[in-house]
C-alpha cells in the first residue's frame, strides 16, 4: 500500500548538517529510490512501473533528457528517475473534496512540497471570479471559458502559451499550431530560463542550437570537461557514460565552484562492483572556479593553446580552420591579449591549474565539453559558451568521433518541444512550412519569451496565461513581481499532473486541467496511442505509458489542445483537430511534412530505439550559419562584479527535487537533511562576514533598481564553495533574482549570479 499524503507541512528551516559525501549512487541510492517509490506507489505498482522506464516497449523517463544506451540495461533508470516516476505514478489523488476543504487562500500559504505531495489531479476545476474555492467544471465548459476569454482579447498577442519541457512532440506540435492559428508567437517555454544561452551561442557559431555528440562519442573521448553541471543529482545516468569513458582511458576535468560528490566518484548501482566496492574515481582535475569565471578560464586555455602553437606547432587543426571556419585571425589577435591578472581574479584558480588543463588538452585528440546551468544562467552566458566553441574549433573537435559540444538538457523533452516549434522567435523557414501545410498565414512578429511574458502581464498587455505543464510562478525570477503579474490576468489556465504554486496564484478566473502523464495508458476512440520525445543528443523515440490513468475521463495533452482549438477556432477551421486527438499518427504525418528530419516519421518512430535527427556539424562538418562556416567570435573578458561585504549567490537544485517539485527535504550528497532553507558559504567568507555556522540570516539581493528583494530566515552552513560565492536552493531564492537581470542576447535570468548581502534574521512571515 502507498502511504497517505502528509497532512502537516513540515518545517524546512532547521536541517541536520553533516560532512559532504565524496561518491554518488551505490546501495544507498537504490534504497532511497525504492523507499520513495513504494511510499507513493505501493510495492506492486513500483515493480510494474520501474521495469518499464526507458525500455523499448515502455515509457520515456519523465526525469532528465539524458539518452538511453542502445542496449538497455534491465534497470535503465536512476535514483532520481525513480523519484520522478514515483511522483507521477503515485496512488495519491486530489479530488473535488480536497478543493472543497481547502480555500485557495489557504493553499497559497502551503509550501510547494506539501502541495505536490497531495497526489494526482483528477478532474477539471474552475476558480470563478470572486470565488474562494476551486469547484468542478465540465471539460466543455472549461474549454468554452478559455475560448470566450481568448476571443474577448483585442489582439491574439494578449495571450501567452507557456510550455514546460515534459510535453510530447505530438502535443507540442498541435499546441504551437493552435497558438499560431489564433495569431500569436507568444510561446514562452522553460528553455528560456534554461539552455536558451546554449541555443543562442551555438546557432550563431555552429548553425545548430543542439549538442553535436552521441553517447558513443562520450565513450570514445580522450578528455571530457564537465563545466557548470551536477550530473550526480541532475543527470545520474550520465555517470555511467563517464565511467565507461574513464575505463576506456578518458580523463575528466570538472569545473565547478562546488566539489560535487557525483563527479568525484561513482558507484554504479547496476553492477556488483559499484554496489559493494569503492566505485570509479571520475574527476582527474577539479577546477574550483569562482562563479561566472568560465569565460576567463576558456580564454586563458585558448591563449595557452595559441602560445603552444607558436612555440612548437602541431597544436591547431589548420586544415579544419582553413576549410570550415571563419574569423580565426581576428579572434586569435584578441585572445593573445588575455590579461593574466584578470583571469586570476575572475577564476580564483592558481595559474598552474589552468596550465595543467591546457597540457591535458594538448595530449588529447578527442575532446568533449559538457555543460548545464552553471554556464547558461549568467549575464555573460552566451559569450562564455561561444568561447567554449572557439576552444573546440581550434583543434577541430567538432564533427568527428569522440569530440564535440554537449549542452546537457534538462526536461526530458525540452529539446523536442523546440524542434516542434515551441519558440517565440521561429525561423521564417519553419513558419513557411507550417503555413503551407495548414493553408494559413502564420504571424511573423516575434512573441514574448518567459521574462517578456511576465513584463507583459505586469503591464496588462497579456491578459490570458495558458500553461502546458510547469510551474510558472515558482520557476521564474522575481517571485513577488511575477505573482502580482499573474494576478493581473483575466484568466490563468494550467494543464497539469500535480498541484503546484501556480494554481493558487491566479488571475480573475482560473482553471486547472488535469492530464495524463508519461506513465499513463493513453487510449482514444482509435485505440491505444503513444507519443514521441527527443533526448539531449537528438535521438527521437516513442514513449508508451502502461498504467491505469488516475481517474476516468482524464484527457491527454493532445486531446486538451485539440478540443480547445476547436472550441476557440470554431467549426469553420479546416485543421482536422478531431482526427489529431484520436489518432496521433495523423499528427505525426503532419510533423513529417513540416519539420526537417522527420520524413517517414511514423515508420521511423516505430523502429526499436527510434532514430537520430540530422545534425550538419556532427554528420558532415557542414555549418548552416549565416556565413556557411563555423564562426569564431571575439568575447571580451568579463566576470561578475561583487561589491565588498557581499557575496555572489547561485541558486541550484538539491538532490531531492525536480525543479519546483520537491520530493523530499534531503540533499544527501551535500550532507544536508531535513530542510531547505540553507545558504552555503565558504568558512573564510563566513568568518570575514561574521556568519556563524548554524546562525540564521536574511538574504537581501542588490540590483541597480534599488528595490528590496529579501529571502528571510536562512540557516548558514559552512561549506567548501569557491570564495566569493554562496549557494542556496531554487525556488525558495527566486524572489531574489531581479526580473531585469538577464543574460545578454538569450534573456535568460541570471539565476547563478545574484549579488546578496546578509542581514539579521527577520523570521518567516506568519511563523
Ligand atoms: N533530479 C533532478 N534532475 C534534474 C532536474 C532536477 O531539478 N532534479 N532538473 C532538470 C533540469 S530542467 C535541468 S536544466 C538540469 C539542471 O542540471 P544542473 O545544471 O546540473 O543543475 P543545477 O543544480 O542548477 O546545478 C548547476 C551546477 O553548476 C555549478 N555552477 C553554478 N555556477 C557556476 C559557474 O559560474 N561556473 C561553473 N563552472 N559551475 C557553476 C553548480 O555548483 C552546480 O554544480 O537538470 C535536469 N535534471
Ligand atoms: N532560481 C532559479 N530558477 C530557475 C532555475 C534555476 O536553476 N534557478 N532553473 C530554470 C530551469 S533550468 C527550468 S527548466 C525551469 C523549470 O520550470 P518549469 O518546467 O515550469 O517547472 P517544473 O518545476 O519542472 O514544473 C513542474 C510541474 O509540471 C507539471 N507536470 C509534470 N509532468 C507533467 C506532464 O507530463 N504534463 C503536464 N501538463 N504537466 C506536468 C506538474 O504539475 C508540476 O507541478 O525553472 C527555471 N528556474
Ligand atoms: Mo532546465
Amino acid at each position: 500500500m502507498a502511504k497517505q499524503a502528509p497532512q502537516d507541512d513540515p518545517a524546512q528551516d532547521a536541517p541536520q548538517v553533516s560532512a559532504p559525501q565524496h561518491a554518488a549512487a551505490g546501495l544507498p541510492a537504490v534504497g532511497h529510490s525504492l523507499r520513495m517509490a513504494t511510499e507513493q506507489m505501493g510495492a506492486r505498482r513500483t515493480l510494474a512501473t520501474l521495469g518499464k522506464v526507458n525500455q523499448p516497449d515502455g515509457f520515456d523517463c519523465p526525469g532528465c533528457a539524458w539518452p538511453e544506451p542502445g542496449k538497455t540495461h534491465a534497470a535503465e533508470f536512476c535514483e532520481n528517475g525513480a523519484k520522478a516516476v514515483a511522483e507521477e505514478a503515485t496512488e495519491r489523488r486530489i479530488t473535488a473534496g480536497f478543493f472543497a476543504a481547502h480555500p485557495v487562500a489557504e493553499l497559497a500559504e502551503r509550501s510547494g512540497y506539501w502541495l505536490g505531495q497531495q497526489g494526482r489531479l483528477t478532474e477539471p476545476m474552475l476558480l470563478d471570479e470572486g470565488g474562494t474555492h476551486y469547484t468542478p467544471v465540465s471539460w466543455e465548459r472549461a474549454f468554452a471559458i478559455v475560448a470566450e476569454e481568448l476571443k474577448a482579447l483585442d489582439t491574439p498577442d494578449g495571450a501567452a502559451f507557456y510550455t514546460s519541457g515534459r510535453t510530447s512532440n505530438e502535443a507540442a506540435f498541435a499546441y504551437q499550431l493552435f497558438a499560431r492559428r489564433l495569431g500569436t508567437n507568444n510561446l514562452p517555454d522553460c528553455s528560456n530560463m534554461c539552455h536558451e544561452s546554449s541555443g543562442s551561442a551555438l546557432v550563431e557559431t555552429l548553425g545548430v542550437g543542439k549538442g553535436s555528440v552521441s553517447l558513443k562519442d562520450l565513450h570514445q573521448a580522450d578528455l571530457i570537461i564537465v563545466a557548470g553541471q551536477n550530473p550526480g543529482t541532475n543527470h545520474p545516468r550520465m555517470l555511467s557514460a563517464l565511467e565507461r569513458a574513464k575505463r576506456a582511458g578518458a580523463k575528466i576535468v570538472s569545473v565547478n565552484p562546488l566539489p560535487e560528490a557525483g563527479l568525484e566518484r561513482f558507484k554504479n548501482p547496476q553492477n556488483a562492483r559499484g554496489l559493494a566496492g569503492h566505485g570509479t574515481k571520475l574527476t582527474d582535475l577539479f577546477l574550483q572556479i569562482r562563479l561566472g569565471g568560465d569565460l576567463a578560464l576558456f580564454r586563458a586555455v585558448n591563449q595557452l593553446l595559441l602560445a603552444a602553437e607558436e612555440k612548437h606547432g602541431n597544436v591547431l587543426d589548420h586544415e579544419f580552420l582553413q576549410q570550415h571556419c571563419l574569423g580565426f585571425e581576428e579572434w586569435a589577435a584578441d585572445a593573445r591579449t588575455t590579461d593574466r591578472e584578470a583571469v586570476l581574479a575572475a577564476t580564483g584558480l592558481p595559474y598552474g591549474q589552468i596550465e595543467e588543463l591546457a597540457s591535458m588538452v594538448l595530449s588529447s585528440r578527442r575532446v568533449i565539453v559538457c555543460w548545464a546551468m552553471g554556464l547558461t544562467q549568467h549575464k555573460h552566458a552566451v559569450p562564455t559558451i561561444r568561447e567554449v566553441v572557439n576552444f573546440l574549433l581550434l583543434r577541430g573537435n567538432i564533427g568527428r568521433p569522440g569530440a564535440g559540444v554537449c549542452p546537457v538538457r534538462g526536461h526530458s523533452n525540452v529539446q523536442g518541444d523546440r524542434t516542434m516549434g515551441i519558440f517565440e522567435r521561429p525561423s521564417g523557414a519553419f513558419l513557411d512550412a507550417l503555413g503551407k501545410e495548414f493553408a494559413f498565414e502564420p504571424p511573423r512578429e516575434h512573441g514574448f519569451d518567459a521574462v517578456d511574458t511576465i513584463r507583459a502581464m505586469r503591464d496588462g498587455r497579456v491578459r490570458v496565461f495558458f500553461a502546458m505543464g510547469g510551474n510558472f510562478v515558482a520557476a521564474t525570477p522575481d517571485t513577488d513581481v511575477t505573482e502580482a503579474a499573474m494576478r493581473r490576468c483575466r484568466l490563468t489556465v494550467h494543464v497539469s499532473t500535480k498541484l503546484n504554486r501556480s494554481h493558487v496564484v491566479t488571475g480573475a478566473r482560473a482553471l486547472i486541467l488535469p492530464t495524463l502523464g508519461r506513465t499513463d495508458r493513453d487510449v482514444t476512440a482509435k485505440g491505444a496511442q503513444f507519443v514521441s520525445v527527443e533526448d539531449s543528443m537528438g535521438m527521437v523515440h516513442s514513449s508508451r505509458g502502461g498504467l491505469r490513468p488516475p481517474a476516468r475521463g482524464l484527457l491527454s495533452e493532445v486531446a486538451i489542445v485539440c478540443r480547445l482549438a476547436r472550441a476557440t477556432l470554431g467549426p469553420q477551421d479546416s485543421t482536422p483537430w478531431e482526427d489529431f486527438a484520436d489518432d496521433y499518427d495523423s499528427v505525426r504525418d503532419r510533423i513529417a511534412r513540416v519539420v526537417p528530419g522527420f520524413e517517414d516519421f511514423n515508420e521511423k518512430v516505430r523502429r526499436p530505439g527510434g532514430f537520430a535527427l540530422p545534425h550538419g556539424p556532427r554528420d558532415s562538418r557542414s555549418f548552416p550559419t549565416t556565413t556557411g562556416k563555423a564562426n569564431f567570435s571575439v568575447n571580451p573578458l568579463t566576470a561578475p562584479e561583487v561589491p565588498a561585504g557581499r557575496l555572489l549567490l547561485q541558486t541550484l537544485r538539491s538532490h531531492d527535487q525536480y525543479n519546483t517539485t520537491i520530493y523530499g527535504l534531503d540533499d544527501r550528497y551535500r550532507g544536508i537533511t531535513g530542510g531547505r532553507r540553507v545558504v552555503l558559504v565558504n568558512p573564510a567568507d563566513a568568518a570575514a562576514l561574521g556568519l556563524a555556522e548554524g546562525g540564521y540570516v536574511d538574504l537581501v539581493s542588490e540590483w541597480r533598481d534599488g528595490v528590496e528583494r529579501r529571502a528571510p530566515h536562512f540557516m548558514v552552513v559552512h561549506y567548501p564553495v569557491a570564495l566569493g560565492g554562496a549557494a542556496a536552493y531554487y525556488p525558495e531564492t527566486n524572489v531574489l533574482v531581479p526580473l531585469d537581470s538577464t543574460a545578454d542576447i538569450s534573456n535568460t535570468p541570471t539565476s547563478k549570479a545574484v549579488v546578496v548581502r546578509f542581514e539579521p534574521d527577520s523570521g518567516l512571515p506568519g511563523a
Side-chain angles (χ1 to χ4, degrees):
M1 274 294 283
K3 265 183 40 191
Q4 288 296 306
Q7 287 310 300
D8 60 326
D9 202 343
Q12 301 183 21
D13 61 346
Q16 301 287 312
V17 179
S18 56
Q21 299 185 5
H22 298 286
L27 256 185
V30 178
H32 280 271
S33 53
L34 288 179
R35 181 173 54 76
M36 284 218 181
T38 43
E39 269 182 31
Q40 296 278 352
M41 302 192 279
R44 238 192 33 218
R45 198 168 163 102
T46 296
L47 272 178
T49 315
L50 294 186
K52 289 279 185 197
V53 191
N54 292 340
Q55 299 297 320
D57 62 335
F59 61 91
D60 182 63
C61 179
C64 72
W66 191 254
E68 285 76 51
K71 263 198 239 109
T72 321
H73 193 279
E76 188 47 42
F77 68 95
C78 63
E79 177 189 352
N80 279 348
K83 290 182 203 162
V85 168
E87 182 78 15
E88 178 179 301
T90 178
E91 291 190 322
R92 298 174 187 164
R93 301 285 175 263
I94 293 187
T95 57
F98 172 89
F99 287 106
H102 300 283
V104 175
E106 183 213 305
L107 295 175
E109 298 293 312
R110 298 289 191 164
S111 74
Y113 172 56
W114 186 89
L115 294 175
Q117 287 291 309
Q118 302 308 309
R120 284 288 295 271
L121 295 159
T122 55
E123 51 180 315
M125 303 297 298
L126 167 70
L127 178 68
D128 223 334
E129 197 157 2
T132 56
H133 293 70
Y134 272 103
T135 54
V137 63
S138 70
W139 284 105
E140 276 65 32
R141 177 83 189 114
F143 294 132
I145 290 170
V146 186
E148 177 185 310
E149 293 284 0
L150 288 174
K151 284 190 264 188
L153 295 168
D154 303 335
T155 147
D157 292 327
F161 296 91
Y162 176 70
T163 311
S164 161
R166 275 199 195 170
T167 294
S168 65
N169 288 334
E170 291 74 7
F173 185 80
Y175 187 53
Q176 61 83 32
L177 175 63
F178 167 56
R180 295 190 165 115
R181 289 293 269 167
L182 195 67
T184 184
N185 282 315
N186 286 347
L187 287 156
D189 72 342
C190 67
S191 212
N192 299 146
M193 299 174 276
C194 183
H195 267 292
E196 200 67 59
S197 304
S198 308
S200 300
L202 294 177
V203 165
E204 191 185 326
T205 54
L206 301 178
V208 181
K210 303 178 181 180
S212 74
V213 302
S214 67
L215 265 186
K216 200 165 150 214
D217 291 318
L218 269 163
H219 298 155
Q220 297 176 351
D222 299 323
L223 176 67
I224 302 171
I225 300 175
V226 182
Q229 195 200 345
N230 178 22
T233 286
N234 298 314
H235 305 91
R237 288 179 301 115
M238 179 174 167
L239 300 186
S240 313
L242 293 179
E243 181 184 45
R244 190 158 157 192
K246 202 60 215 220
R247 291 187 179 275
K251 296 261 187 271
I252 296 175
V253 176
S254 36
V255 185
N256 202 305
L258 269 66
E260 302 282 27
L263 284 168
E264 291 183 58
R265 189 169 273 285
F266 174 48
K267 300 185 180 179
N268 194 335
Q270 294 175 352
N271 62 43
R273 190 176 50 226
L275 281 180
H278 295 293
T280 309
K281 178 175 180 274
L282 293 181
T283 294
D284 296 281
L285 174 65
F286 171 43
L287 300 181
Q288 187 162 28
I289 197 164
R290 282 178 184 250
L291 286 168
D294 305 82
L295 172 54
L297 173 67
F298 279 96
R299 273 194 69 120
V301 171
N302 289 341
Q303 184 185 32
L304 288 168
L305 296 179
L306 289 173
E309 170 73 19
E310 272 149 38
K311 235 182 169 167
H312 25 256
N314 248 339
V315 170
L316 307 185
D317 184 339
H318 294 286
E319 204 186 304
F320 177 77
L321 293 175
Q322 272 277 291
Q323 264 190 26
H324 297 291
C325 303
L326 268 188
F328 168 75
E329 287 304 336
E330 193 194 340
W331 169 80
D334 176 73
R336 287 190 188 100
T337 67
T338 303
D339 177 51
R340 187 183 296 202
E341 288 310 310
V343 168
L344 296 179
T347 61
L349 297 171
Y351 201 70
Q353 286 191 352
I354 301 179
E355 288 172 325
E356 196 179 337
L357 171 56
S359 76
M360 288 170 86
V361 173
L362 288 174
S363 53
S364 308
R365 246 197 67 64
R366 304 160 173 219
V367 181
I368 290 175
V369 183
C370 303
W371 72 87
M373 298 304 100
L375 296 204
T376 64
Q377 297 175 335
H378 281 287
K379 178 159 182 1
H380 56 307
V382 176
T384 300
I385 297 163
R386 287 197 300 229
E387 197 61 24
V388 170
V389 172
N390 292 338
F391 163 75
L392 290 167
L393 291 178
L394 281 181
R395 288 170 55 81
N397 275 309
I398 299 269
R400 62 179 166 77
V405 285
C406 184
V408 183
R409 304 281 159 179
H411 268 301
S412 50
N413 197 40
V414 63
Q415 188 159 314
D417 291 344
R418 187 53 68 82
T419 308
M420 291 298 115
I422 302 293
F423 194 22
E424 74 283 355
R425 291 173 284 133
S427 72
F430 177 84
L431 293 180
D432 291 345
L434 190 72
K436 186 161 166 253
E437 177 64 25
F438 293 96
F440 79 116
E441 191 40 59
R444 299 276 160 171
E445 206 180 312
H446 288 173
F448 296 136
D449 63 9
V451 164
D452 285 337
T453 295
I454 298 167
R455 292 183 177 129
M457 294 195 295
R458 176 194 65 194
D459 302 341
R461 286 174 287 136
V462 160
R463 310 304 310 274
V464 176
F465 175 84
F466 190 102
M468 185 54 69
N471 184 1
F472 192 79
V473 298
T476 50
D478 232 343
T479 313
D480 295 344
V481 175
T482 301
E483 292 196 350
M486 196 85 146
R487 292 189 198 280
R488 275 204 73 183
C489 288
R490 281 286 317 145
L491 174 70
T492 52
V493 188
H494 287 87
V495 179
S496 311
T497 50
K498 303 289 293 279
L499 189 64
N500 67 44
R501 176 89 192 152
S502 298
H503 303 130
V504 298
V505 177
T506 68
R509 289 201 279 183
L511 284 161
I512 300 174
L513 305 180
T515 191
L516 300 178
R518 286 278 167 80
T519 51
D520 299 315
R521 201 181 302 141
D522 184 354
V523 184
T524 69
K526 289 275 171 62
Q529 304 295 316
F530 67 88
V531 294
S532 66
V533 293
E534 173 185 342
D535 68 31
S536 195
M537 294 179 177
M539 289 292 301
V540 179
H541 62 86
S542 66
S543 174
R544 187 192 290 274
L547 295 178
R548 179 148 42 84
R552 273 170 184 278
L554 272 197
L555 298 182
S556 70
E557 292 182 345
V558 180
I560 290 173
V561 172
C562 293
R563 289 180 60 176
L564 173 61
R566 180 60 76 205
T568 310
L569 302 171
Q572 69 279 11
D573 186 80
S574 61
T575 315
W577 297 109
E578 291 73 16
D579 297 346
F580 284 0
D582 278 349
D583 177 6
Y584 301 173
D585 276 356
S586 71
V587 184
R588 283 186 285 267
D589 281 340
R590 301 305 191 105
I591 295 172
R593 289 206 286 269
V594 172
V595 188
F598 285 81
E599 302 76 18
D600 303 319
F601 190 9
N602 271 312
E603 183 262 313
K604 288 192 290 193
V605 76
R606 287 175 163 84
R607 294 180 195 161
F611 62 99
L613 289 175
H615 187 290
R618 181 194 65 207
D619 303 337
S620 58
R621 292 192 154 179
S622 54
F623 298 92
T625 57
T626 48
T627 62
K629 299 271 184 187
N631 294 316
F632 272 86
S633 57
V634 174
N635 305 297
L637 199 162
T638 55
E641 276 167 37
V642 186
R646 285 29 178 189
L647 295 179
L648 200 62
L649 177 77
Q650 63 151 321
T651 61
L652 42 47
R653 295 155 170 82
S654 85
H655 193 61
D656 269 2
Q657 74 182 85
Y658 194 95
N659 299 337
T660 70
T661 297
I662 311 301
Y663 303 135
L665 302 181
D666 300 346
D667 194 5
R668 196 168 78 245
Y669 297 149
R670 299 197 184 107
I672 293 158
T673 54
R676 292 179 49 87
R677 291 190 87 82
V678 289
V679 57
L680 313 183
V681 184
N682 184 294
D685 284 329
L689 294 168
L691 302 172
E693 169 117 74
Y696 284 81
V697 290
D698 283 4
L699 308 177
V700 183
S701 92
E702 295 186 352
W703 176 245
R704 55 173 188 241
D705 61 7
V707 170
E708 182 179 288
R709 298 179 175 84
R710 179 181 297 268
H713 196 60
F714 277 70
M715 191 178 110
V716 174
V717 175
H718 291 184
Y719 197 88
V721 298
L723 281 171
Y729 303 129
Y730 131 74
E732 286 82 351
T733 44
N734 284 40
V735 62
L736 299 172
V737 187
L739 185 62
D740 293 337
S741 176
T742 59
D744 297 335
I745 305 170
S746 66
N747 208 25
T748 293
T750 59
S751 303
K752 297 292 187 272
V754 184
V755 175
V756 292
R757 63 171 190 268
F758 298 82
E759 289 195 355
D761 176 26
S762 65
L764 280 179

